[in-house]
Amino acid sequence: MNVNLRHIPEEIIVHTGPCDKPCRNINVFFADYIKNTVSREINPLWNENAIEAIIYAVTTCVLYKINTKWYRNKGYDFDITLWHEDDMLYEPDKEIYLNVGIMADELFDNYISIDGDFPELITCSDSDFEKYKEFAVKSAEKGMKPIDILKEYFGEDIEITDKTVHDNDIFDGCAFPLKHGDIGENVRIVQENLNFLSRDFPAVPSIMPVEKFFTKSTEISVRCFQKNFYLHETGEVDKSTWYKIRKYYFDASRLYGYINKARNISAKKMSEVTSGEILSALNVIEYFNPYIEIEMLRGYDKDKLSKNISEFQKYYKLGITGEINEITFEKMVRLLNIITENIPVRYFDNRAGSFSGRSLIIGDTGNEVIRLQSYMRVISKNIPQIKFGDITGVYDKATENAVKKYQKLYGLPSNGITGAITWRGIAELYNYFSAGTCNQ
């Protein structure tokens, strides 16, 4: 059966046991899954040609199951398992060999194909894969290259398909590498993500201003990120650099959102707390205590949330009801208070809100104007060219002039109107300056 490969997933859902057992699901970045499973399958001292040939085979096997919806077509809500009798052995939190990590960063979206199609060549059973690994190791010792190992084992019509070259839809059409002088939305995404990460990783310098132009400061920040995350120090964003930036950004930004939503619980009565706040609170607790069998939830699901509450109650011996009661609520609040006392202050900064959909012009009033003026006040204390005084709640001449100056400095039409693009840029500057490292 041939399957045309549509996309490389950023994340996959892994079932933490045999497919027919009611175990929890975990979200795992695809490249991290490949690194982990390959590290379980190989000896790190093997010839690198053998390891590379094994990475291709593991990736092909996993992508085949994902793209044929092997488990989802059977009614399951996950993509693959970590159970060695059904799939490759995956062990969360186990050691990833450094050479495997570096190689997988380069190869995670390369797979075995026949004329661009995706063949069913390898099962995930132990016996079949052990035979292939033994062949790969012996062949590499004889000097064979990875592609020659694959052709010898599977047939001469085998090719290695590089998703980045083969298709244009990887990561929403991002063309690699992104480099100095490039312009586009993906450049802005890289800059925003690196700025966010620079707060937790001080060795990665911030980029100012954030714009769609790959500046020299962007190159320096990229190079520092690569140096600290075992990537080739090129200053260019290749697919492996993009993937790792996105991984750490998603982890940090999701945690940020969950913490800010969960912390509202402490100031409320149990009857006032929403399901979304409970979901976020359990996500935060799971992040800091992975021994609780809680599934990280990206969105509200009544049954899964009830199951998570039950797992929380089971772990802390509170009496399993699947619903929030006073004892469960009090325990949750105590844990959140301990967690929030021991994490960076920046997770509690007041982040700028998103654009409301209504452009602001001179004469407008209301909460949106107050928010804009509060952002401009912080910005004006850090960028001397932008002058701003009191927060009045009225979009007056002073507000219009401050917005015009911002627009001029950042290459936007200087009309004094705060539309979506202007709002987003001002919000990004405010978030940067309010992170605790600048004047406020």
Side-chain angles (χ1 to χ4, degrees), residues 168 356 437:
N168 290 323
S356 68
T437 58

Side-chain angles (χ1 to χ4, degrees), residues 62-208:
V62 175
L63 286 176
Y64 181 80
K65 284 204 165 182
I66 292 171
N67 283 274
T68 57
K69 299 183 179 179
W70 183 279
Y71 288 108
R72 293 187 182 276
N73 285 337
K74 298 176 183 179
Y76 297 112
D77 60 348
F78 50 83
D79 299 307
I80 205 157
T81 76
L82 54 66
W83 192 244
H84 64 92
E85 294 183 8
D86 298 322
D87 298 299
M88 299 290 179
L89 178 61
Y90 174 87
E91 295 182 296
D93 303 320
K94 290 292 184 179
E95 178 186 9
I96 305 299
Y97 299 132
L98 181 59
N99 59 337
V100 170
I102 293 172
M103 293 172 70
D105 277 331
E106 296 292 332
L107 302 174
F108 70 87
D109 60 350
N110 288 244
Y111 56 91
I112 304 170
S113 67
I114 302 175
D115 294 329
D117 286 328
F118 189 54
E120 182 178 13
L121 297 173
I122 305 168
T123 67
C124 291
S125 68
D126 286 341
S127 58
D128 285 351
F129 201 72
E130 285 300 321
K131 291 177 183 177
Y132 172 71
K133 287 196 300 181
E134 183 179 351
F135 176 82
V137 172
K138 289 182 178 179
S139 299
E141 289 174 351
K142 296 176 182 177
M144 291 179 66
K145 301 296 184 183
I147 184 62
D148 298 323
I149 294 171
L150 293 165
K151 286 180 178 289
E152 182 74 18
Y153 195 86
F154 296 114
E156 285 298 318
D157 52 355
I158 288 296
E159 296 178 354
I160 298 298
T161 296
D162 183 340
K163 177 64 175 174
T164 313
V165 175
H166 179 65
D167 245 334
N168 290 323
D169 62 357
I170 185 172
F171 305 137
D172 299 322
C174 184
F176 298 108
L178 296 172
K179 57 187 181 303
H180 183 256
D182 284 349
I183 300 174
E185 182 65 15
N186 287 314
V187 174
R188 185 189 63 78
I189 291 172
V190 168
Q191 293 170 330
E192 283 186 347
N193 289 184
L194 288 174
N195 278 353
F196 192 93
L197 292 173
S198 70
R199 301 170 186 175
D200 283 337
F201 302 98
V204 179
S206 297
I207 303 162
M208 291 301 294

Side-chain angles (χ1 to χ4, degrees), residues 7-12 28-31 171 242-243 246 250:
H7 84 294
I8 303 292
E10 283 200 321
E11 283 186 315
I12 60 175
V28 180
F29 264 71
F30 180 71
F171 305 137
W242 170 278
Y243 202 89
R246 297 295 284 164
F250 279 136

Side-chain angles (χ1 to χ4, degrees), residues 311-377:
E311 291 295 342
F312 178 85
Q313 293 168 329
K314 178 182 176 181
Y315 185 87
Y316 289 105
K317 298 179 174 59
L318 301 176
I320 302 172
T321 65
E323 297 178 352
I324 294 295
N325 52 39
E326 288 291 348
I327 296 176
T328 302
F329 182 71
E330 289 175 5
K331 181 66 175 179
M332 194 175 293
V333 170
R334 284 200 300 272
L335 286 172
L336 285 172
N337 286 339
I338 293 171
I339 290 169
T340 55
E341 287 173 2
N342 292 279
I343 59 177
V345 175
R346 76 172 185 83
Y347 283 98
F348 305 101
D349 293 336
N350 292 317
R351 301 279 289 177
S354 57
F355 181 61
S356 68
R358 178 174 70 96
S359 295
L360 300 176
I361 61 174
I362 195 163
D364 283 346
T365 60
N367 290 333
E368 291 301 303
V369 176
I370 292 174
R371 289 168 62 196
L372 172 66
Q373 290 177 330
S374 67
Y375 305 158
M376 294 306 297
R377 187 173 185 177

